Amino acid sequence: MTYLAPRQGLFAIIILVSFCLQTLLLVISTDQQLTTSREQKGEQMVAQLIDEARLSLENEDRVSLSVIANRYTSEQDVARIVIKDSNDEILVPVGNAPMQQGDTISQMATKGDAVIGSVALTLKDISKGEIIAMQWPFVIGSLVLHLFLWLLYGYVARPTKEQINALSRDIQDLHREQYIQSGQLSYGRAPNENYAEKRDAMGDDVHHTADTSDYETAKTGKVNTAGIHNELNAYLKSQQANTADQQTSSNASTDAAQGRQSNNADSTVQHTDDVQTSAGVDSSHTHKFTSSSSKLSATRTFDTVSVQIMFHDEYNMLERLAPEMRMPYLALCTQLLNQAMTELLRQPLLLGVSAVNEPHFDESGACAILKADNSHAKAALAGVMLGKLYLMLNKIIHEKHIELSRFALPAKVGVSDEDQAQAMRQLLNSVGRKEQMLILLPNAGLKQIGSHVQVQSLKRPTTVYERECAVFDGGNDAMIQRLATVRNAVLMSGVEEEEQSVTN
């Protein structure tokens, strides 16, 4: 069997990094060399151009200057030549190549002590791709060399037969030590005199068996544990014999102890009566706990739904608000909730659902109770739709008040059956977020809303109620469109009432 070299994949990564670094260093060094040579060549070209164009610069002969400059722009490294007069005004711009800008070499043209103009020559910038294309023989050779090194490592670093045999012997010794230690831990061998004598008697046989096992392992490549098991079985049988003798001696002391135990029989009977009495108390407590926990049963029945609306007031701003501002705001919220409930219960989908109370807002919020008048009425769906409708209305009112620099608070809603109203209030205070609706309903209620809305579980619940609670995650298009229609009707009815009050 052929084994791969150890960590051959890691060595491949090292080879790849080496090739990339070598190519990068090649590109950097070549770029520096080309830059230096091009700068020297550019300075020579500028000096030669000034010598040829000195007379034309003195006379500002643009035609002659253009002819002379065009002859230099035919060079491969030249991108642009600009010739200016003594007033720094451009006479001849030649070779406009904005995408190939590079280093610019400028020099003044003089005649004696007078400056007659200047020449600026721009050299093309060599790209890294061009450098790699120029040095492709070196890049290909380096890649082939690195691949050869990787293949050579995979061949040279493979483990030899001696290393494999040494590794198998180490594994065999490890297994033998584990078997011996497991036998000691399982049967509680103690370092006493009997154990020492039997260990000495068994030493030669064990060593002989281990040597035989080593030879068979080197020959077949497998660990031969038959000899080790036989020696362990012999030792265990001898230990069982010692255990039987110890049990015989302990039976005598047990008979003596039984006599002492008979004297405590009466006290034991009395203690048993006390335990039975406490067991009765515990059973009654367990019955009470079972009856109280049955309220969380998913199959519990319900006929009324509680819709609790609370303000998301993190900084207790409502309590600090002046009464002349707080009371009108609470009255507006109450009016919106009652109008929303009236308009919503007119929908044919919620036929048979009626309102039990007329909710009013205070600092702690409001609670609307809906009741199913018959078995076909969908009270759970009505509660969810009412909660979502009020969230839509409150969002509009909140945004409008903020625009007008008035006080307003976001809201959060909890929908549950009436038995779980107190639990829902605790959930709203602990895990409720703004513009969020929590739902705590049995299976029958979830079945009513299942085809109309989507829900999701709370993340990382810590209590039983949090595990049973769900969060409103959206509704189908039909329900959202119906709620939008009811929302518009509620807002229009509010506007009409304001107009009527102003008219009166």
Side-chain angles (χ1 to χ4, degrees):
M1 181 177 179
T2 303
Y3 293 90
L4 296 177
R7 298 185 178 181
Q8 193 167 1
L10 179 61
F11 187 76
I13 296 175
I14 295 174
I15 287 293
L16 180 61
V17 172
S18 174
F19 171 74
C20 294
L21 290 176
Q22 188 173 3
T23 305
L24 179 61
L25 292 175
L26 172 66
V27 171
I28 293 174
S29 61
T30 306
D31 182 59
Q32 290 180 354
Q33 293 176 1
L34 291 176
T35 300
T36 303
S37 63
R38 285 189 301 109
E39 286 178 355
Q40 295 176 357
K41 183 179 178 181
E43 290 176 357
Q44 294 176 359
M45 292 173 64
V46 170
Q48 187 177 354
L49 176 60
I50 291 175
D51 291 337
E52 294 180 5
R54 182 173 283 111
L55 182 59
S56 301
L57 270 173
E58 188 177 0
N59 298 326
E60 294 184 359
D61 187 359
R62 297 175 184 269
V63 177
S64 300
L65 291 174
S66 178
V67 172
I68 295 172
N70 282 326
R71 198 164 62 242
Y72 285 88
T73 54
S74 60
E75 294 289 337
Q76 184 179 1
D77 296 333
V78 178
R80 179 182 174 87
I81 296 176
V82 177
I83 301 175
K84 300 179 181 180
D85 58 3
S86 59
N87 297 325
D88 205 21
E89 293 181 359
I90 298 176
L91 296 177
V92 176
V94 180
N96 187 12
M99 298 301 294
Q100 296 180 348
Q101 295 296 324
D103 297 331
T104 301
I105 301 174
S106 300
Q107 187 173 348
M108 305 296 293
T110 59
K111 184 178 181 182
D113 296 334
V115 177
I116 59 175
S118 63
V119 177
L121 186 143
T122 302
L123 299 174
K124 294 180 181 179
D125 192 10
I126 297 179
S127 64
K128 304 301 184 292
E130 293 178 357
I131 296 176
I132 295 176
M134 291 168 55
Q135 301 290 339
W136 67 267
F138 179 85
V139 175
I140 297 298
S142 177
L143 178 61
V144 172
L145 177 61
H146 282 83
L147 288 176
F148 175 76
L149 289 175
W150 180 69
L151 295 175
L152 183 63
Y153 171 80
Y155 177 79
V156 174
R158 288 181 301 176
T160 61
K161 291 183 179 180
E162 290 79 10
Q163 292 175 342
I164 295 174
N165 293 334
L167 181 62
S168 64
R169 286 194 295 271
D170 294 337
I171 295 175
Q172 174 193 348
D173 295 337
L174 178 62
H175 282 297
R176 184 164 58 247
E177 291 175 0
Q178 289 178 351
Y179 279 125
I180 295 174
Q181 291 177 0
S182 63
Q184 292 176 352
L185 293 175
S186 299
Y187 293 93
R189 288 162 55 171
N192 50 23
E193 295 179 355
N194 293 331
Y195 168 68
E197 294 176 357
K198 293 179 181 179
R199 182 187 61 186
D200 295 337
M202 293 171 57
D204 297 336
D205 295 336
V206 171
H207 286 299
H208 175 71
T209 304
D211 295 337
T212 304
S213 177
D214 291 341
Y215 174 76
E216 292 179 354
T217 301
K219 184 176 180 181
T220 61
K222 297 181 180 179
V223 178
N224 184 13
T225 59
I228 299 175
H229 283 297
N230 292 333
E231 296 298 335
L232 288 175
N233 290 333
Y235 173 76
L236 296 177
K237 289 180 181 179
S238 63
Q239 288 293 316
Q240 289 176 359
N242 293 335
T243 305
D245 296 339
Q246 294 176 359
Q247 289 179 353
T248 303
S249 60
S250 64
N251 287 336
S253 60
T254 303
D255 294 337
Q258 287 179 354
R260 292 192 299 270
Q261 291 178 356
S262 60
N263 297 327
N264 300 327
D266 296 336
S267 61
T268 304
V269 172
Q270 183 178 0
H271 176 68
T272 304
D273 295 337
D274 296 337
V275 170
Q276 290 178 353
T277 305
S278 62
V281 175
D282 293 340
S283 62
S284 62
H285 175 71
T286 304
H287 177 69
K288 291 180 181 179
F289 175 76
T290 305
S291 62
S292 62
S293 62
S294 63
K295 294 181 179 180
L296 274 176
S297 174
T299 58
R300 63 184 184 273
T301 59
F302 74 101
D303 55 355
T304 57
V305 173
S306 173
V307 181
Q308 301 185 52
I309 304 172
M310 298 178 63
F311 294 112
H312 187 74
D313 192 3
E314 298 179 342
Y315 306 104
N316 296 326
M317 298 176 62
L318 190 61
E319 295 180 358
R320 303 173 185 176
L321 195 65
E324 57 270 15
M325 296 179 64
R326 181 173 64 249
M327 298 309 296
Y329 176 69
L330 296 177
L332 174 62
C333 295
T334 301
Q335 181 182 0
L336 282 176
L337 178 58
N338 288 316
Q339 290 179 355
M341 187 166 55
T342 302
E343 293 290 340
L344 184 64
L345 295 181
R346 293 177 183 175
Q347 298 294 317
L349 179 64
L350 305 179
L351 187 64
V353 180
S354 59
V356 177
N357 66 336
E358 184 177 352
H360 293 277
F361 270 92
D362 53 15
E363 289 78 2
S364 60
C367 179
I369 300 177
L370 304 178
K371 181 180 180 182
D373 297 334
N374 52 62
S375 59
H376 301 287
K378 300 179 179 180
L381 180 60
V384 172
M385 292 180 68
L386 178 60
K388 182 59 179 177
L389 176 60
Y390 186 80
L391 288 178
M392 296 167 64
L393 290 169
N394 188 78
K395 185 175 182 180
I396 296 175
I397 298 301
H398 180 261
E399 293 177 353
K400 190 64 177 177
H401 277 65
I402 296 300
E403 290 179 2
L404 299 176
S405 299
R406 295 181 180 178
F407 175 81
L409 290 172
K412 50 188 176 182
V413 177
V415 180
S416 66
D417 49 324
E418 194 172 6
D419 293 338
Q420 302 298 330
Q422 184 63 30
M424 176 53 69
R425 178 170 291 275
Q426 295 176 0
L427 287 173
L428 286 174
N429 289 323
S430 60
V431 299
R433 301 178 180 177
K434 66 177 181 179
E435 305 297 337
Q436 189 182 64
M437 179 164 58
L438 303 180
I439 301 173
L440 185 61
L441 294 171
N443 288 340
L446 296 176
K447 186 176 180 180
Q448 288 185 14
I449 67 175
S451 58
H452 299 277
V453 303
Q454 294 85 34
V455 296
Q456 63 179 2
S457 302
L458 284 173
K459 296 180 180 179
R460 295 184 293 274
T462 57
T463 63
V464 179
Y465 290 109
E466 291 181 9
R467 186 174 66 248
E468 297 293 331
C469 183
V471 181
F472 180 86
D473 195 33
N476 55 19
D477 295 337
M479 192 191 79
I480 296 300
Q481 185 64 33
R482 186 178 289 110
L483 289 177
T485 303
V486 177
R487 177 198 62 189
N488 296 336
V490 171
L491 294 176
M492 292 302 297
S493 64
V495 172
E496 292 177 356
E497 290 181 359
E498 290 181 0
E499 292 179 350
Q500 290 179 0
S501 63
V502 171
T503 304
N504 295 332

